[in-house]
Amino acid sequence: MIISKDASLLGFNTFGIDVKTSLFVEYNTVDELKAVLTSEMVSGKRMLHVGSGSNLLFLSDFDGVILHSGMRTINLIEETDEHVFIEAGSGVVWDDFVAYTVENGWGGAENLSLIPGEVGASAVQNIGAYGVEVKDLIAKVKTIEISTSSERIFSNDECRYGYRQSIFKQEFKGKYIVTSVIYKLDKDPVYQLGYQHLEDEVRKNGDVSLKNIRETIIAVRESKLPDPKILGNAGSFFMNPVVPKQQFLELQSEYPTIPHYFVSESEEKIPAAWFIDQCNWKGKQLGHVGVHDKQPLVLVNKGGATGQEVVHLAEEIQKSVKKRFGIELYPEVNYI
Ligand code: EPU
């Protein structure tokens, strides 16, 4: 176990905000986690569990305990004619997990290549990209209830997944800690190439295969999204708004080329990037924070930014989109 006082959180937020926590604890087993939860260390203190902090924005130093999982094992726990069930510890780096599935020829996770973060957060956040959401692969989520230190296993249904949503972000926010996730993968991969021009991009690189899809997606992401090691950021800053069909049709009659994705008979999803782009935010900078020039959904730390500065720019963007389109943008990033 690692326990450190007044610890820097620079390594635990991809925005690169220079803040500290009163106490940082990294545990390596479920038993260690239970021991921490029932100890003096955390009693009565504010507590936050983080992964790699790729979806967090710290607004100030954290007065409390930051917990992190050091559980990094991956095991095949069940196999049928068609599927494998793989259990990954919450501290496994998400993209290491994807690389492992692709190397073994198991399909399902390849479209989610290079998403920053760890396995535990994947199940809380329902990460998604290129037409796939992690909920499509999750069989079960193993957790510890914080108040009782007891184990509880959630089925996929019980997690109540939606676009970037789960029960762990809503009703049970701050109540459970994910310890491992069991993913169901296909032995005979079913390729998901329907997103925009993905299939064309993949075919340009050769025959369709898990490896080719992974490499293509990595190249697409690297061309659009800034590397947090070079330019601090937390990926998409806002969620893509899901709007009632009628509102979408009104926007479409005014802007015939507006991009959109079908959600249901009554709702459409519109890329937040399009609204932000239309409001001419691309490449703009306020203080130490900028709007990424290749993907305006990403806000970047140009060096030395504070959380408050990021919020200020985010609010200016929200106001301008609201004023021009009547659309509310909601942050995907969690303010702490
Ligand atoms: N667009 C513009 N201007 C731009 C960029 C994009 O108008 O400068 C419009 C275009 O019409 C484009 C559309 O936005 O077709 C969608 O852009 P993109 O394919 O880059 O995807 P996104 O909707 O902006 C979402 C996820 C990303 C994920 C990509 C690919 C959310 C909030 N974001 O972005 O996830 O990688 O799709 O599937 O759903 C993340 O969550 O951190 C993340 C990067």
Side-chain angles (χ1 to χ4, degrees):
M1 195 140 59
I2 299 170
I3 301 174
S4 34
K5 281 190 182 159
D6 281 329
S8 167
L9 290 172
L10 264 177
F12 289 93
N13 78 102
T14 57
F15 246 119
I17 307 288
D18 191 4
V19 285
K20 283 181 176 177
T21 175
S22 326
L23 193 67
F24 174 86
V25 179
E26 181 174 292
Y27 55 89
N28 296 313
T29 64
V30 172
D31 284 342
E32 279 185 5
L33 171 60
K34 287 181 182 173
V36 171
L37 292 177
T38 50
S39 75
E40 275 297 302
M41 269 192 293
V42 300
S43 120
K45 307 238 172 64
R46 192 177 168 210
M47 195 163 71
L48 176 72
H49 199 290
V50 300
S52 53
S54 54
N55 221 19
L56 298 178
L57 178 65
F58 285 105
L59 304 184
S60 58
D61 284 339
F62 190 79
D63 181 16
V65 186
I66 297 277
L67 290 175
H68 184 249
S69 165
M71 298 194 288
R72 300 193 182 92
T73 53
I74 303 181
N75 294 307
L76 190 159
I77 56 167
E78 196 188 324
E79 186 166 2
T80 64
D81 287 346
E82 286 155 16
H83 299 113
V84 288
F85 291 81
I86 308 293
E87 180 167 2
S90 48
V92 171
V93 170
W94 170 257
D95 194 55
D96 291 349
F97 172 73
V98 178
Y100 170 85
T101 64
V102 168
E103 274 158 27
N104 281 283
W106 299 324
E110 61 283 358
N111 288 32
L112 305 178
S113 289
L114 208 62
I115 292 185
E118 295 173 3
V119 158
S122 78
V124 173
Q125 189 65 18
N126 186 21
I127 55 172
Y130 306 100
V132 173
E133 289 181 321
V134 79
K135 74 170 171 59
D136 306 334
L137 329 173
I138 288 179
K140 286 176 187 164
V141 178
K142 290 193 179 175
T143 68
I144 296 288
E145 188 180 25
I146 293 175
S147 61
T148 60
S149 287
S150 56
E151 297 180 30
R152 172 165 173 189
I153 301 177
F154 287 77
S155 67
N156 181 305
D157 277 354
E158 285 173 319
C159 295
R160 302 224 203 111
Y161 285 123
Y163 168 60
R164 300 290 197 272
Q165 283 302 342
S166 74
I167 200 163
F168 307 112
K169 287 182 78 179
Q170 301 201 309
E171 197 183 328
F172 288 167
K173 187 171 180 177
K175 294 197 160 57
Y176 288 84
I177 292 171
V178 174
T179 51
S180 65
V181 181
I182 299 170
Y183 301 96
K184 179 182 172 187
L185 300 162
D186 299 324
K187 284 166 109 173
D188 194 4
V190 182
Y191 303 119
Q192 307 279 344
L193 299 173
Y195 188 86
Q196 292 180 359
H197 310 294
L198 181 59
E199 180 156 2
D200 298 340
E201 295 294 320
V202 169
R203 288 192 190 281
K204 268 190 229 162
N205 291 344
D207 290 344
V208 179
S209 67
L210 293 178
K211 190 165 168 282
N212 182 1
I213 295 172
R214 173 167 166 76
E215 282 168 5
T216 303
I217 283 177
I218 289 176
V220 172
R221 286 188 76 93
E222 283 177 339
S223 71
K224 284 192 195 175
L225 301 169
D227 178 350
K229 287 190 200 94
I230 298 164
L231 208 50
N233 75 87
S236 302
F237 195 89
F238 300 102
M239 294 192 260
N240 286 337
V242 175
V243 304
K245 192 71 153 221
Q246 187 52 36
Q247 191 178 10
F248 163 70
L249 291 173
E250 282 161 21
L251 281 165
Q252 197 185 33
S253 70
E254 207 173 329
Y255 307 93
T257 58
I258 187 169
H260 59 104
Y261 305 104
F262 175 84
V263 174
S264 67
E265 290 309 324
S266 58
E267 289 179 318
E268 287 292 303
K269 185 154 72 182
I270 307 173
W274 184 83
F275 289 115
I276 302 170
D277 201 356
Q278 293 290 308
C279 292
N280 289 321
W281 278 105
K282 239 172 166 171
K284 294 262 168 69
Q285 187 168 344
L286 286 185
H288 300 90
V289 191
V291 179
H292 190 51
D293 49 1
K294 299 199 189 76
Q295 169 47 292
L297 192 51
V298 181
L299 304 188
V300 292
N301 180 353
K302 296 279 191 172
T306 63
Q308 306 291 348
E309 279 180 303
V310 180
V311 172
H312 176 61
L313 175 56
E315 285 176 354
E316 291 302 314
I317 292 172
Q318 284 168 304
K319 271 191 247 165
S320 67
V321 169
K322 174 82 181 171
K323 190 162 167 229
R324 173 143 173 221
F325 296 100
I327 291 283
E328 207 79 64
L329 291 184
Y330 295 101
E332 187 192 332
V333 168
N334 297 299
Y335 297 174
I336 308 294

